Amino acid sequence: MLKIVSKPIDTYELSPTDTQHEYIIYVKDSTGQNIDGALAYGKTDRTKVTETMIDKYGDQIDLIEHEE
């Protein structure tokens, strides 16, 4: 089975009161090896990238973990 994991890798200051995170999203196999990955900018984009990976790997995904 596969797992999707995302974690923030950078933070951008868009204005003095607004920031946005850059996320890396991995698909990992049962041994913990990365088999796919992508970058996302903000939570909305992270959701889109995660949905794309779910579409690609379907029923093989058994867990999704988003680190904040």
Side-chain angles (χ1 to χ4, degrees), residues 3-14:
K3 173 169 73 169
I4 296 174
V5 178
S6 74
K7 56 180 131 181
I9 57 171
D10 206 350
T11 302
Y12 299 98
E13 185 175 316
L14 303 177

Side-chain angles (χ1 to χ4, degrees), residues 8-66:
I9 57 171
D10 206 350
T11 302
Y12 299 98
E13 185 175 316
L14 303 177
S15 73
T17 59
D18 189 20
T19 60
Q20 180 175 349
H21 293 294
E22 177 181 9
Y23 295 92
I24 188 144
I25 299 123
Y26 296 111
V27 176
K28 295 180 175 266
D29 66 14
S30 59
T31 66
Q33 294 293 316
N34 298 333
I35 61 169
D36 201 351
L39 293 175
Y41 301 93
K43 287 186 179 181
T44 301
D45 193 35
R46 179 182 72 177
T47 300
K48 289 178 187 175
V49 171
T50 301
E51 289 172 352
T52 300
M53 290 180 172
I54 291 169
D55 290 344
K56 184 174 180 179
Y57 294 100
D59 292 341
Q60 298 177 67
I61 302 292
D62 65 342
L63 183 63
I64 298 172
E65 294 178 354
H66 294 299

